[in-house]
């Protein structure tokens, strides 16, 4: 059984993950509007991945006998200055999410909730991967600079991203 404190914190994270999905969908729409179809695809896959994170938490709360309460989702920004700006904003957002996950992990430890501690390990590792993935795109964009043919090639690369939910996910 989840304590009310952990239940509230996990519900807060469900909201944060759905907001992340909404934010990346807004980024996808912006990329689409600038003709960067590959970047738009990458962001759409990112949005799907975030909804998967939300549903993983949703499943865990129920599995532990808790209650999911859905809250309002804040409006995301809809405009960015450049592909570099959109990817830089993605990295900053992921760093913020890593902070939230670490905070949750600390709380689970403080509460001696071992099941939640183990469950959150997946998210801790996932954040390492998420930051590394977006960091790699950011590095390439910085190398490309103002070279539009480089941007064209990177856009094609971004078009190949697919999202396949891990088979070991929580319900
Ligand atoms: Fe669900 Fe990108 O963190």
């Amino acid at each position: 059984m989840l304590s009310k404190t952990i239940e509230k914190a996990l519900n807060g994270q469900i909201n944060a993950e759905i907001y992340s999905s909404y934010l990346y969908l807004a980024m996808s729409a912006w990329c689409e509007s600038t003709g960067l179809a590959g970047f738009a695809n990458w962001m759409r896959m990112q949005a799907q991945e975030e909804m998967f994170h939300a549903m993983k938490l949703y499943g865990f709360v129920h599995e532990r006998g808790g209650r999911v309460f859905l809250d309002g989702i804040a409006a995301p920004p809809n405009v960015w200055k450049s592909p570099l700006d959109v990817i830089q904003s993605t990295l900053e957002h992921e760093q913020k999410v890593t902070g939230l996950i670490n905070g949750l992990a600390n709380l689970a430890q403080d509460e001696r909730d071992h099941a939640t501690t183990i469950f959150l390990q997946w998210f801790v590792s996932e954040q390492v991967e998420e930051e590394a993935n977006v960091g790699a795109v950011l590095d390439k964009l910085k190398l490309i600079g103002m070279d539009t043919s480089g941007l064209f090639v990177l856009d094609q690369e971004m078009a190949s991203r697919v999202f396949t939910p891990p088979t070991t996910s929580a319900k």
Side-chain angles (χ1 to χ4, degrees):
M1 188 72 187
L2 287 175
S3 72
K4 284 293 161 205
T5 307
I6 296 285
E7 182 187 79
K8 188 164 180 258
L10 290 173
N11 269 290
Q13 192 60 32
I14 290 172
N15 187 273
E17 299 290 348
I18 296 176
Y19 173 77
S20 298
S21 183
Y22 208 34
L23 172 66
Y24 294 137
L25 198 56
M27 287 179 170
S28 179
W30 180 83
C31 292
E32 201 77 59
S33 76
T34 63
L36 290 166
F39 277 70
N41 171 70
W42 195 94
M43 285 297 174
R44 213 165 45 247
M45 296 304 110
Q46 186 75 8
Q48 284 183 22
E49 199 167 297
E50 298 304 343
M51 193 51 83
F52 172 78
H53 295 169
M55 292 312 295
K56 195 171 173 74
L57 288 152
Y58 177 101
F60 181 73
V61 170
H62 286 144
E63 200 173 18
R64 298 283 313 284
R67 175 83 163 84
V68 168
F69 293 97
L70 296 180
D71 205 348
I73 307 296
N78 276 288
V79 180
W80 287 268
K81 291 195 285 279
S82 63
L84 186 64
D85 183 31
V86 87
I87 295 296
Q88 181 70 51
S89 301
T90 301
L91 180 59
E92 284 163 14
H93 183 70
E94 286 305 325
Q95 288 165 341
K96 208 182 300 174
V97 173
T98 298
L100 292 177
I101 295 292
N102 289 341
L104 266 179
N106 290 342
L107 183 67
Q109 279 188 348
D110 292 347
E111 293 267 314
R112 306 276 194 272
D113 183 339
H114 303 299
T116 299
T117 295
I118 291 167
F119 171 75
L120 288 172
Q121 292 313 303
W122 184 89
F123 282 87
V124 171
S125 304
E126 177 72 1
Q127 282 310 121
V128 172
E129 202 179 296
E130 293 247 316
E131 284 192 35
N133 287 345
V134 71
V137 177
L138 188 59
D139 287 347
K140 285 180 190 170
L141 267 176
K142 284 179 179 167
L143 276 175
I144 286 167
M146 303 301 282
D147 174 11
T148 48
S149 55
L151 185 61
F152 181 75
V153 171
L154 180 58
D155 189 55
Q156 285 185 321
E157 198 181 298
M158 303 277 272
S160 66
R161 182 178 181 185
V162 292
F163 173 61
T164 311
T167 48
T168 53
S169 67
K171 300 178 226 65

